[in-house]
Amino acid sequence: MKHTTPRGIALYLSVLVTILVMAGCITVFYIIENEFFILPAFIIGIIVFTATFFLAYYSVEKFIYSKVKLIYKNISSQKITRIKKNEINKSPDMLAEVNEQVLSWAQDKKDEIMRLKAQENFRREFIGNLSHELKTPVFSIQGYILTLLEGGLEDPKINRDFLERAARAVDRITHMIEDLDIITQLESGQLQLNLKKVNIIEIAKEVIESLDMQAAEKNIKLGFNRNYDKPIYVKCDSGRIAQVFTNLLVNSINYGNDNGKTDIRFFDMEDNILIEVADNGLGIAQEHLPRLFERFYRVDKSRSRHQGGTGLGLAIVKHIIEAHDHSISVRSTEGVGTTFAFTLSKAK
């Protein structure tokens, strides 16, 4: 009975009821007309058996399937993704199908719980990181102000210095808030892109020129992998893509080696242009790569904060590229360097 189906149960019950009814009929007939027992009993038994069997089989099967159908509908109504069917399949594997649906429903619930837990962990980690990022500049500002209020304001040797330090800490908080606001707008679709036909070579050149002094302080050379004589036209928001180049190049400067180099490369990919920003810096361990574009995620937390970044640069880069309906990837080897690669659509 381990694999008995509703149709099998109906069959067993029908045979049992038929045998009982047939036995009763034979007994009654035997009492009334004992001398004609054999032939009439056989004929009547066949008729009674046939009629009773089909009547009992139909009634029992209909009763069982009505109950199974109700259970099936209740289970299906609770599923996350419902499978619509015009009618119930009355096959011998009905219970097996219901069991499969129950297992699928349970797996969906389990997956949903796992997603909610992951979202909760991300929320908790995000709030913790944000609190930590704000704590450093806020405590610095608090310390500078207290020093000034306790007499440092009258000391010309320290008052201006402490005010400038406090101003830099305020700037860091301001930049962090601005970056978070940009990410929020990009995620919600509120930030509209101004897509135009632009020469991507010119955008990259302007960004390189703006970062020349910062790169020179680290003895890092910024440039192209080769001489691009002809313009490369893409359809993009020039201001946002300039921000992408800026964040990637600043990242390469912060993590570059002394006398290092960062190249920008362009490759023709039929309808798209592949753009790479590659350096020969410290490199990134493989276990960090999947989370590199998360907000506030840092490979080397102490060193990153010392550099003064907000921890949101790569998250902004990812959202800007995705807002252009493209994607960005990273590959890296420790001690060799890191390459960020993204695509943009060719301008027609």
Side-chain angles (χ1 to χ4, degrees), residues 70-134:
L70 178 61
I71 296 172
Y72 180 82
K73 285 186 176 180
N74 288 335
I75 293 174
S76 296
S77 65
Q78 298 300 319
K79 291 191 62 178
I80 298 175
T81 304
R82 297 184 60 184
I83 301 176
K84 296 182 178 180
K85 294 184 177 181
N86 296 327
E87 60 182 4
I88 300 301
N89 180 19
K90 294 185 178 182
S91 66
D93 296 328
M94 181 64 187
L95 290 182
E97 293 177 8
V98 172
N99 183 61
E100 184 179 348
Q101 292 290 330
V102 172
L103 293 176
S104 177
W105 172 81
Q107 185 61 45
D108 286 341
K109 290 297 183 183
K110 182 179 179 181
D111 292 342
E112 182 181 17
I113 291 173
M114 294 301 294
R115 285 195 297 270
L116 291 174
K117 286 184 177 180
Q119 291 175 3
E120 174 61 19
N121 291 335
F122 177 80
R123 183 194 66 82
R124 189 183 299 110
E125 185 177 350
F126 171 75
I127 292 176
N129 288 333
L130 179 60
S131 175
H132 191 79
E133 293 291 339
L134 290 173

Side-chain angles (χ1 to χ4, degrees), residues 18 21 116 123 144 169 171 173 206 251 272 313 323 332 342:
T18 302
V21 173
L116 291 174
R123 183 194 66 82
Y144 297 142
D171 288 342
I173 295 175
E206 291 175 3
N251 196 68
N272 301 317
S332 183
F342 62 94

